[in-house]
Amino acid sequence: MYAAALLAGSAGAQPATPGPIIDQGSFTITASGSAATSGRETFAIRRIAGGYQASGTVLFADRRLSPTLTTDLTGAPVSYALEARKGPGHTEQVSVVRDRGFFTLRARSPDHESVRELPEAGTFMVDDDIVHQYYFLMLDRRGGAVSVVVPQRRVVLPMRIDRLGPDSVRIGGRELPAERVRVTSDSEGECFIWVDAAGRVLQLARPERHLMAVRDSPP
């Protein structure tokens, strides 16, 4: 309720009128080299007036993340709301709104509340442990240096996108053509993403964390 009220009251937030779905699906997430399921993410990305809206649910053994991200047509964030449940009785609400050249980030938990402003210019958004939001980094075959807001950590990180060329991934028993993309950050290390011709995320790997997210079925 907290994050939703903030977004509804902001001039920068776009209406959440449902639009045509441009991508929808789920990822199975495994970690530490184990074949056992570590988590699961379901999501939908829609076109709305002036941009896109992406929402989903990410489930781990000890956490539940429920994000909603609204962007403009370039994939740059306009507003964001996240509910993060981290064990019994502990829920954190995070909201981000773009206004007058800044993002206003508000976070509230049972024992803490904070407000922070972050620079908006040239910035995109991908939150921790959420795979489908990488779609917006991939729009228009984007490459080179970018700045990325990570709302759960209240930071903006410099990253670099390198398009590594054609590859393939196996999803749902089928071998699919894909483009392999590397996203690098000095503090985060390397992340590899495989996308289809429409820029839809098929697979993600974080070698340093031995983490892999694979789409459950072809888009």
Side-chain angles (χ1 to χ4, degrees):
M1 292 293 293
Y2 174 82
L6 284 169
L7 296 180
S10 167
Q14 294 191 11
T17 303
I21 293 175
I22 59 173
D23 193 14
Q24 184 176 33
S26 61
F27 294 93
T28 293
I29 304 165
T30 56
S32 301
S34 171
T37 299
S38 174
R40 193 162 189 274
E41 174 175 332
T42 57
F43 72 95
I45 301 174
R46 294 176 168 85
R47 280 294 304 269
I48 61 172
Y52 304 90
Q53 187 173 83
S55 58
T57 301
V58 188
L59 295 173
F60 297 99
D62 60 343
R63 288 177 295 146
R64 177 189 177 102
L65 307 175
S66 301
T68 299
L69 170 62
T70 302
T71 79
D72 63 20
L73 288 172
T74 72
V78 174
S79 63
Y80 184 60
L82 173 73
E83 180 180 86
R85 296 182 181 272
K86 303 176 182 179
H90 186 89
T91 299
E92 182 177 62
Q93 303 279 0
V94 179
S95 72
V96 184
V97 177
R98 185 175 77 184
D99 189 26
R100 297 187 299 274
F102 288 90
F103 291 114
T104 300
L105 190 155
R106 300 176 184 268
R108 184 180 186 182
S109 65
D111 55 0
H112 182 71
E113 185 172 350
S114 65
V115 179
R116 184 175 183 185
E117 285 192 337
L118 301 171
E120 176 269 330
T123 304
F124 297 90
M125 184 178 293
V126 178
D127 213 346
D128 281 335
D129 299 321
I130 300 172
V131 178
H132 70 269
Q133 292 174 356
Y134 280 93
Y135 173 83
F136 300 106
L137 280 188
M138 302 294 108
L139 277 178
D140 300 323
R141 294 181 56 82
R142 185 174 288 113
V146 294
S147 296
V148 177
V149 177
V150 185
Q152 291 183 73
R153 281 183 280 156
R154 293 53 147 164
V155 296
V156 178
L157 298 177
M159 296 188 183
R160 180 175 179 81
I161 302 171
D162 293 301
R163 320 293 297 209
L164 302 180
D167 201 346
S168 65
V169 295
R170 189 167 185 81
I171 295 175
R174 292 171 51 191
E175 201 73 20
L176 301 180
E179 180 185 16
R180 187 168 175 251
V181 183
R182 179 175 60 214
V183 179
T184 310
S185 166
D186 289 343
S187 61
E188 300 293 294
E190 292 181 325
C191 172
F192 293 94
I193 303 162
W194 287 259
V195 298
D196 68 7
R200 295 172 295 193
V201 178
L202 303 176
Q203 180 174 283
L204 177 145
R206 291 188 176 277
E208 290 89 348
R209 293 172 56 185
H210 303 286
L211 184 146
M212 179 77 74
V214 181
R215 200 157 176 142
D216 293 317
S217 59

